[in-house]
Amino acid sequence: MPGKNGAPTRRSSRVTLRVPLRIFEPATNKRFLVEEAYAVKVSLWGGLIALKTAVNQNQQLVTVNQATEATADSRIVYLGPMLTGGSKLRLVAIEFLNPSPSFWGVMFPQPVASRPQPRNYAR
């Protein structure tokens, strides 16, 4: 749904939550660990995660929530800048390929039609 200025709005709210993850390459039966990472912000549709490994836009990954062992196929939709401080981490936005409402282990509020939706500044 377009916002006031025609820019797309978010499909659901985001929650700041640090979730430990394991990231795997797809179609490897979870044998090839890309890295252990963590989510910074989460939503019904994916999240913003901190990664050390070099990845590409639209690259597919298998994401595993270490707390719940829930698994979701995902793809990279945004590559953020490298974080400062010598950590060599990059914030990367992922989108689930299939709806995964219980992946993060939190309940998200339903959008309210009368309330203005937040703008998407990441595009």
Side-chain angles (χ1 to χ4, degrees), residues 11 21 23-26 34-35 37 45-63 72-81 90-98 122-123:
R11 295 178 280 183
L21 303 170
I23 309 295
F24 295 92
E25 292 181 9
V34 173
E35 80 174 78
W45 304 96
L48 187 64
I49 62 176
L51 286 177
K52 290 181 187 173
T53 304
V55 291
N56 300 309
Q57 184 96 8
N58 293 316
Q59 181 177 345
Q60 291 192 7
L61 302 170
V62 176
T63 308
D73 292 326
S74 58
R75 72 179 180 96
I76 295 172
V77 293
Y78 171 76
L79 297 172
R90 169 175 275 179
L91 292 178
V92 174
I94 60 167
E95 175 182 61
F96 297 136
L97 299 182
N98 298 303
R123 293 183 186 240

